[in-house]
Amino acid sequence: KFMDTSQGPLQGIKVLDLSTAIAAPFGSAMMADQGAEVIKVEAPGIGDVMRYIGSSCRGVTAMFHMANRGKRGLAIDLKQEKGLAVFLKLVADADVVIHNFRVGVVERLGISYDDLIAINPELIYISVYGFGHQGPDAHRRAYDNVVQAFSGVTYNQADAETGEPMQCYQAIADKMTGMNVSMAASSALFARAMGRGGQHIRLNMVDSMVHFLWMDVSEKATFLEPEAELGQQVAKGVKLMKFANGYGQSAPVSDVEFHGLCAAFDVDSHAEPRVETIIDRAANKEVVAEVIQKVYANAAKIDVDEAIAAMIANDVPCAKAMDIKDLPEHPQMIANGTFVSSEHPIAGKIREPRMAAQFEGTPAGVGFSSPSVGQHNDEIMHELGLAEDIEALRAAGILS
């Protein structure tokens, strides 16, 4: 069953989501999981492009559902005066409006921040862009892979042997931006509750990725002083451990963990004084590499589950490399209650993860099924007191 969102921390908050694709919709979906009322506003007809991209069942794509669960759907033409009037009526009691139109579009449509705060001065208005809202590249279209290239992700992921830049095999820029949308909205709602009013929030995908990457991959670019020294990136070039029938990973940072890893695979690391402490290992990297090579050679002969058990017994941080499709049945995932199964009215039985944060006092959930294009048109029009306009708007192509 879908997890109830009615007690979530954002209960009572109304969000109008004009965005498409993944970055911004993913953010408002997290707000829906936390109890917000979210209305997805689309153009009549095709609607959001993500309805047609990626794995699907009976016409429902997994990506669209995950980025739009818990939302009601309104399909209305904002380019026509009567369609705009309906939207502006919704704005009157909304808390948050989110869009990811290109620079200049909201002004042409008459739904800019200035337009909407004339109706609702306490509104929180979030504009999401690809490259930014100003500057030489502000006008450019941007999707996840484009942002990965621009923001430094692809060179950070470069092949260790050839140096060829590589994409991450996931929409990391989209998802990080979505998290920033949700976080920014919640922060602004808190500020408003403290009496500081509504506001305009601008964020973009490039900034989201640069902020995400910089801490551990910026190398010396952080420091502006000439004596800065280049250190090793903590995650770059780290290879998986290969076992007889699978792969895994370990992270032996402390002295206890390092020697525990060696002991797990019958390597006597204490026999080599140059690797005894973390200070010794920092000064003798070549010797460390020789010791670790012995560990890896022994590990390659052992069953993966036995190897993981041996490392755990020696208190080494480690994990078996899992295929994502196997996670729902893993005992730890079951204990965490990570996954929720439900019945989608079109796609049938589906399984998806809840949001990561678990609120004890204001429990979040998993929103109901993602809407079809304009699924809740009539319902929303009735709530606005515009029931008598439905047929005329539909006949004019303004309402789907």
Side-chain angles (χ1 to χ4, degrees), residues 5 37 40 89 94 100 103 117 121 128 133 136 139 174 176 189 207 282 294 296 312 330 334 368 376 392:
T5 63
E37 175 195 354
K40 184 175 182 67
K89 195 172 179 64
N100 61 351
V103 172
I117 61 168
V128 183
H133 69 282
H139 67 285
D174 276 334
M176 280 307 306
L189 286 166
D207 285 353
K294 294 177 183 178
Y296 275 50
I312 292 173
H330 192 282
I334 293 172
F368 49 80
H376 302 95

mmCIF file of all heavy atoms in Angstrom, residues 5 37 40 89 94 100 103 117 121 128 133 136 139 174 176 189 207 282 294 296 312 330 334 368 376 392:
data_model
loop_
_atom_site.group_PDB
_atom_site.id
_atom_site.type_symbol
_atom_site.label_atom_id
_atom_site.label_comp_id
_atom_site.label_asym_id
_atom_site.label_seq_id
_atom_site.Cartn_x
_atom_site.Cartn_y
_atom_site.Cartn_z
ATOM 1 N N THR A 5 0.585 10.015 3.621
ATOM 2 C CA THR A 5 1.352 11.262 3.708
ATOM 3 C C THR A 5 0.615 12.349 4.480
ATOM 4 O O THR A 5 1.137 13.456 4.630
ATOM 5 C CB THR A 5 1.658 11.802 2.296
ATOM 6 O OG1 THR A 5 0.416 12.123 1.641
ATOM 7 C CG2 THR A 5 2.408 10.777 1.465
ATOM 8 N N GLU A 37 0.306 19.321 -0.627
ATOM 9 C CA GLU A 37 -0.620 19.150 -1.740
ATOM 10 C C GLU A 37 0.081 19.718 -2.973
ATOM 11 O O GLU A 37 0.374 20.910 -3.042
ATOM 12 C CB GLU A 37 -1.927 19.906 -1.507
ATOM 13 C CG GLU A 37 -2.879 19.851 -2.706
ATOM 14 C CD GLU A 37 -3.998 20.864 -2.633
ATOM 15 O OE1 GLU A 37 -4.122 21.549 -1.595
ATOM 16 O OE2 GLU A 37 -4.738 20.990 -3.629
ATOM 17 N N LYS A 40 0.345 19.238 -10.387
ATOM 18 C CA LYS A 40 1.215 19.286 -11.565
ATOM 19 C C LYS A 40 0.449 19.941 -12.708
ATOM 20 O O LYS A 40 -0.565 19.415 -13.157
ATOM 21 C CB LYS A 40 1.678 17.894 -11.972
ATOM 22 C CG LYS A 40 2.665 17.908 -13.146
ATOM 23 C CD LYS A 40 3.189 16.530 -13.436
ATOM 24 C CE LYS A 40 4.210 16.561 -14.568
ATOM 25 N NZ LYS A 40 5.451 17.282 -14.188
ATOM 26 N N LYS A 89 -6.076 31.897 -10.401
ATOM 27 C CA LYS A 89 -7.001 31.642 -9.293
ATOM 28 C C LYS A 89 -6.408 30.622 -8.330
ATOM 29 O O LYS A 89 -6.571 30.723 -7.107
ATOM 30 C CB LYS A 89 -8.345 31.155 -9.845
ATOM 31 C CG LYS A 89 -9.500 31.201 -8.852
ATOM 32 C CD LYS A 89 -10.818 30.901 -9.531
ATOM 33 C CE LYS A 89 -11.995 30.924 -8.556
ATOM 34 N NZ LYS A 89 -12.219 32.258 -7.955
ATOM 35 N N ALA A 94 -1.920 29.541 -2.999
ATOM 36 C CA ALA A 94 -0.779 28.624 -3.071
ATOM 37 C C ALA A 94 0.334 29.099 -2.135
ATOM 38 O O ALA A 94 0.423 30.273 -1.783
ATOM 39 C CB ALA A 94 -0.263 28.526 -4.499
ATOM 40 N N ASN A 100 10.508 25.386 -14.405
ATOM 41 C CA ASN A 100 11.834 25.295 -15.020
ATOM 42 C C ASN A 100 11.788 25.726 -16.485
ATOM 43 O O ASN A 100 12.468 25.157 -17.341
ATOM 44 C CB ASN A 100 12.446 23.893 -14.860
ATOM 45 C CG ASN A 100 11.634 22.802 -15.519
ATOM 46 O OD1 ASN A 100 10.504 23.015 -15.980
ATOM 47 N ND2 ASN A 100 12.190 21.594 -15.581
ATOM 48 N N VAL A 103 14.805 31.080 -19.641
ATOM 49 C CA VAL A 103 14.814 32.506 -19.318
ATOM 50 C C VAL A 103 13.870 33.277 -20.244
ATOM 51 O O VAL A 103 13.912 33.117 -21.463
ATOM 52 C CB VAL A 103 16.239 33.067 -19.434
ATOM 53 C CG1 VAL A 103 16.239 34.584 -19.284
ATOM 54 C CG2 VAL A 103 17.155 32.432 -18.384
ATOM 55 N N ILE A 117 3.237 37.646 -7.259
ATOM 56 C CA ILE A 117 3.168 38.218 -5.908
ATOM 57 C C ILE A 117 2.192 39.400 -5.849
ATOM 58 O O ILE A 117 1.791 39.819 -4.766
ATOM 59 C CB ILE A 117 4.553 38.661 -5.388
ATOM 60 C CG1 ILE A 117 5.166 39.742 -6.267
ATOM 61 C CG2 ILE A 117 5.467 37.460 -5.234
ATOM 62 C CD1 ILE A 117 6.384 40.400 -5.617
ATOM 63 N N PRO A 121 1.284 37.957 -2.121
ATOM 64 C CA PRO A 121 2.575 38.520 -1.685
ATOM 65 C C PRO A 121 3.441 37.576 -0.862
ATOM 66 O O PRO A 121 4.653 37.752 -0.782
ATOM 67 C CB PRO A 121 2.161 39.740 -0.852
ATOM 68 C CG PRO A 121 0.777 40.067 -1.282
ATOM 69 C CD PRO A 121 0.142 38.762 -1.639
ATOM 70 N N VAL A 128 13.930 27.288 -11.707
ATOM 71 C CA VAL A 128 15.000 26.305 -11.901
ATOM 72 C C VAL A 128 15.514 26.403 -13.338
ATOM 73 O O VAL A 128 14.735 26.305 -14.282
ATOM 74 C CB VAL A 128 14.506 24.876 -11.605
ATOM 75 C CG1 VAL A 128 15.646 23.873 -11.730
ATOM 76 C CG2 VAL A 128 13.879 24.797 -10.211
ATOM 77 N N HIS A 133 20.296 31.941 -14.490
ATOM 78 C CA HIS A 133 19.254 32.873 -14.915
ATOM 79 C C HIS A 133 19.825 34.119 -15.581
ATOM 80 O O HIS A 133 19.075 34.964 -16.067
ATOM 81 C CB HIS A 133 18.382 33.281 -13.724
ATOM 82 C CG HIS A 133 19.073 34.138 -12.715
ATOM 83 N ND1 HIS A 133 19.939 33.630 -11.782
ATOM 84 C CD2 HIS A 133 19.031 35.480 -12.495
ATOM 85 C CE1 HIS A 133 20.397 34.607 -11.016
ATOM 86 N NE2 HIS A 133 19.867 35.746 -11.432
ATOM 87 N N PRO A 136 26.195 34.564 -20.161
ATOM 88 C CA PRO A 136 26.249 34.211 -21.582
ATOM 89 C C PRO A 136 25.577 32.899 -21.957
ATOM 90 O O PRO A 136 25.193 32.707 -23.116
ATOM 91 C CB PRO A 136 27.759 34.149 -21.859
ATOM 92 C CG PRO A 136 28.391 33.892 -20.526
ATOM 93 C CD PRO A 136 27.532 34.627 -19.542
ATOM 94 N N HIS A 139 20.581 31.321 -21.717
ATOM 95 C CA HIS A 139 19.506 31.022 -22.665
ATOM 96 C C HIS A 139 19.533 29.586 -23.163
ATOM 97 O O HIS A 139 18.582 29.131 -23.799
ATOM 98 C CB HIS A 139 19.636 31.952 -23.872
ATOM 99 C CG HIS A 139 20.875 31.691 -24.682
ATOM 100 N ND1 HIS A 139 22.126 32.087 -24.253
ATOM 101 C CD2 HIS A 139 21.058 31.062 -25.868
ATOM 102 C CE1 HIS A 139 23.030 31.724 -25.149
ATOM 103 N NE2 HIS A 139 22.413 31.095 -26.133
ATOM 104 N N ASP A 174 20.218 15.932 -12.499
ATOM 105 C CA ASP A 174 18.774 16.104 -12.309
ATOM 106 C C ASP A 174 18.386 15.857 -10.857
ATOM 107 O O ASP A 174 17.658 16.644 -10.240
ATOM 108 C CB ASP A 174 18.000 15.120 -13.194
ATOM 109 C CG ASP A 174 17.813 15.621 -14.610
ATOM 110 O OD1 ASP A 174 17.818 16.849 -14.811
ATOM 111 O OD2 ASP A 174 17.659 14.790 -15.508
ATOM 112 N N MET A 176 20.251 15.708 -8.060
ATOM 113 C CA MET A 176 20.809 16.645 -7.080
ATOM 114 C C MET A 176 20.060 17.977 -7.124
ATOM 115 O O MET A 176 19.813 18.588 -6.082
ATOM 116 C CB MET A 176 22.299 16.871 -7.363
ATOM 117 C CG MET A 176 23.200 15.769 -6.847
ATOM 118 S SD MET A 176 22.956 15.381 -5.091
ATOM 119 C CE MET A 176 23.163 16.988 -4.345
ATOM 120 N N LEU A 189 9.946 28.140 3.384
ATOM 121 C CA LEU A 189 8.703 28.012 4.150
ATOM 122 C C LEU A 189 8.966 28.273 5.628
ATOM 123 O O LEU A 189 8.155 28.913 6.313
ATOM 124 C CB LEU A 189 8.103 26.619 3.953
ATOM 125 C CG LEU A 189 7.442 26.364 2.589
ATOM 126 C CD1 LEU A 189 7.206 24.872 2.381
ATOM 127 C CD2 LEU A 189 6.131 27.135 2.483
ATOM 128 N N ASP A 207 25.058 24.885 -10.927
ATOM 129 C CA ASP A 207 25.446 25.211 -9.550
ATOM 130 C C ASP A 207 25.241 24.028 -8.621
ATOM 131 O O ASP A 207 26.045 23.782 -7.706
ATOM 132 C CB ASP A 207 24.636 26.401 -9.034
ATOM 133 C CG ASP A 207 25.097 27.726 -9.617
ATOM 134 O OD1 ASP A 207 26.121 27.754 -10.320
ATOM 135 O OD2 ASP A 207 24.426 28.739 -9.370
ATOM 136 N N ALA A 282 50.992 6.643 5.093
ATOM 137 C CA ALA A 282 51.008 7.864 4.291
ATOM 138 C C ALA A 282 52.400 8.132 3.725
ATOM 139 O O ALA A 282 52.540 8.695 2.632
ATOM 140 C CB ALA A 282 50.536 9.048 5.123
ATOM 141 N N LYS A 294 48.751 -8.227 -2.218
ATOM 142 C CA LYS A 294 48.679 -9.584 -1.658
ATOM 143 C C LYS A 294 47.263 -9.880 -1.150
ATOM 144 O O LYS A 294 46.745 -10.991 -1.326
ATOM 145 C CB LYS A 294 49.686 -9.730 -0.514
ATOM 146 C CG LYS A 294 51.136 -9.637 -0.941
ATOM 147 C CD LYS A 294 52.062 -9.727 0.275
ATOM 148 C CE LYS A 294 53.511 -9.557 -0.125
ATOM 149 N NZ LYS A 294 54.420 -9.586 1.066
ATOM 150 N N TYR A 296 44.452 -8.571 -2.228
ATOM 151 C CA TYR A 296 43.563 -8.752 -3.377
ATOM 152 C C TYR A 296 43.784 -10.098 -4.053
ATOM 153 O O TYR A 296 42.832 -10.726 -4.536
ATOM 154 C CB TYR A 296 43.757 -7.606 -4.368
ATOM 155 C CG TYR A 296 42.940 -6.370 -4.045
ATOM 156 C CD1 TYR A 296 42.946 -5.814 -2.765
ATOM 157 C CD2 TYR A 296 42.174 -5.733 -5.015
ATOM 158 C CE1 TYR A 296 42.209 -4.686 -2.453
ATOM 159 C CE2 TYR A 296 41.417 -4.598 -4.723
ATOM 160 C CZ TYR A 296 41.445 -4.081 -3.448
ATOM 161 O OH TYR A 296 40.708 -2.973 -3.156
ATOM 162 N N ILE A 312 33.779 -8.582 7.862
ATOM 163 C CA ILE A 312 32.898 -8.141 8.941
ATOM 164 C C ILE A 312 33.408 -8.644 10.287
ATOM 165 O O ILE A 312 33.411 -7.915 11.287
ATOM 166 C CB ILE A 312 31.451 -8.624 8.696
ATOM 167 C CG1 ILE A 312 30.854 -7.904 7.481
ATOM 168 C CG2 ILE A 312 30.583 -8.389 9.936
ATOM 169 C CD1 ILE A 312 29.503 -8.434 7.054
ATOM 170 N N HIS A 330 16.748 -7.789 -0.026
ATOM 171 C CA HIS A 330 17.853 -7.905 0.928
ATOM 172 C C HIS A 330 17.317 -7.692 2.347
ATOM 173 O O HIS A 330 16.523 -6.787 2.599
ATOM 174 C CB HIS A 330 18.929 -6.864 0.614
ATOM 175 C CG HIS A 330 20.208 -7.094 1.349
ATOM 176 N ND1 HIS A 330 20.377 -6.756 2.679
ATOM 177 C CD2 HIS A 330 21.389 -7.640 0.956
ATOM 178 C CE1 HIS A 330 21.599 -7.075 3.070
ATOM 179 N NE2 HIS A 330 22.248 -7.608 2.046
ATOM 180 N N ILE A 334 14.744 -4.772 3.846
ATOM 181 C CA ILE A 334 13.454 -5.136 4.436
ATOM 182 C C ILE A 334 13.348 -4.572 5.852
ATOM 183 O O ILE A 334 12.313 -4.020 6.241
ATOM 184 C CB ILE A 334 13.285 -6.676 4.438
ATOM 185 C CG1 ILE A 334 13.182 -7.184 2.988
ATOM 186 C CG2 ILE A 334 12.049 -7.084 5.238
ATOM 187 C CD1 ILE A 334 13.209 -8.688 2.863
ATOM 188 N N PHE A 368 0.507 9.052 -3.656
ATOM 189 C CA PHE A 368 -0.326 8.203 -4.514
ATOM 190 C C PHE A 368 0.189 8.217 -5.945
ATOM 191 O O PHE A 368 1.149 8.919 -6.283
ATOM 192 C CB PHE A 368 -1.793 8.654 -4.445
ATOM 193 C CG PHE A 368 -1.985 10.132 -4.639
ATOM 194 C CD1 PHE A 368 -1.974 10.707 -5.904
ATOM 195 C CD2 PHE A 368 -2.175 10.968 -3.539
ATOM 196 C CE1 PHE A 368 -2.147 12.065 -6.086
ATOM 197 C CE2 PHE A 368 -2.350 12.337 -3.706
ATOM 198 C CZ PHE A 368 -2.337 12.890 -4.978
ATOM 199 N N HIS A 376 -6.981 15.253 -12.951
ATOM 200 C CA HIS A 376 -7.790 15.865 -11.903
ATOM 201 C C HIS A 376 -8.382 17.215 -12.317
ATOM 202 O O HIS A 376 -8.724 18.034 -11.457
ATOM 203 C CB HIS A 376 -6.940 16.019 -10.634
ATOM 204 C CG HIS A 376 -6.389 14.715 -10.135
ATOM 205 N ND1 HIS A 376 -5.133 14.276 -10.456
ATOM 206 C CD2 HIS A 376 -6.952 13.750 -9.361
ATOM 207 C CE1 HIS A 376 -4.928 13.100 -9.893
ATOM 208 N NE2 HIS A 376 -5.999 12.751 -9.223
ATOM 209 N N ALA A 392 -16.926 24.514 -21.553
ATOM 210 C CA ALA A 392 -16.530 25.563 -22.492
ATOM 211 C C ALA A 392 -15.019 25.603 -22.656
ATOM 212 O O ALA A 392 -14.495 25.751 -23.783
ATOM 213 C CB ALA A 392 -17.034 26.911 -21.992
#
